[in-house]
Amino acid sequence: IAQQLQVPTTTVWGWLKAHPRKNSKGSSCHRCGAPWEERKHFAKGYCKSCYNYISAQRSTPPPLNSPELAERFWSKVIVVDENACWMWRASTDKKGYGQFVWTPGKHKGAHRMAWMLTHQEDPGSSVICHSCDTPGCCNPEHLWKGTYKQNSQDMAKKGRHATQQLQTAKDLLAVVQDAVPSALREKIRNFLDG
């Protein structure tokens, strides 16, 4: 707090006592200006009808052709080259997929939002798939609309399924074991047995 207010840390408490926090609800509604004698305070400085109006306005998603929405979204994407992956630089989920707040409390996948802004349509129940297999990529040239089945087939074709990766690891282990001379394996076994 002290750094934001540019107050020396030794006098912060004195400053806070000298500048008490104002009542957030004030003496009237922030939107309509009706005094609290006429309308009852509901929440966050608004009467009930104004608060409900503002909440409804906030939950309506902006149109896809909104320049403000496009500017807010693309400002979070790093574009190095037109053909390379355009990486999402804001919030991500556990798997690395970008998360974009379309409306308060509602997240959209960043790659899905990139596709929506580029094609100016909501894909509905369709899946937006990556041809580059990079979860954080938002390059519209790397995204395609498909079904869950098509996405699974693409994953299997590229060898990204968990069982395929496990089999690849087992094959690699077998090759490594065959490459180690039997005398060395015997020495290692003796050493481990103690």
Side-chain angles (χ1 to χ4, degrees), residues 108 111-112 115-116 121-129 144-151:
K108 282 256 189 231
H111 64 289
R112 189 174 182 87
W115 191 91
M116 289 170 62
E121 67 173 284
D122 189 344
S125 63
S126 296
V127 179
I128 302 302
C129 310
W144 53 280
K145 182 170 125 177
T147 63
Y148 284 103
K149 184 176 181 178
Q150 291 170 329
N151 195 26

Side-chain angles (χ1 to χ4, degrees), residues 28-96:
S28 61
C29 176
H30 294 321
R31 182 172 175 267
C32 68
W36 295 133
E37 292 82 38
E38 292 177 20
R39 291 188 177 187
K40 186 178 176 191
H41 173 261
F42 182 68
K44 299 184 180 180
Y46 298 103
C47 64
K48 186 168 183 149
S49 61
C50 290
Y51 183 81
N52 290 341
Y53 174 81
I54 290 168
S55 296
Q57 293 297 316
R58 287 184 51 171
S59 64
T60 305
L64 289 173
N65 60 0
S66 163
E68 294 84 18
L69 176 66
E71 182 181 338
R72 190 166 64 89
F73 176 81
W74 293 113
S75 69
K76 299 173 184 343
V77 177
I78 299 171
V79 179
V80 177
D81 179 30
E82 290 294 318
N83 299 321
C85 289
W86 298 0
M87 297 308 293
W88 181 253
R89 63 183 183 101
S91 170
T92 58
D93 66 9
K94 288 185 250 181
K95 295 181 179 180

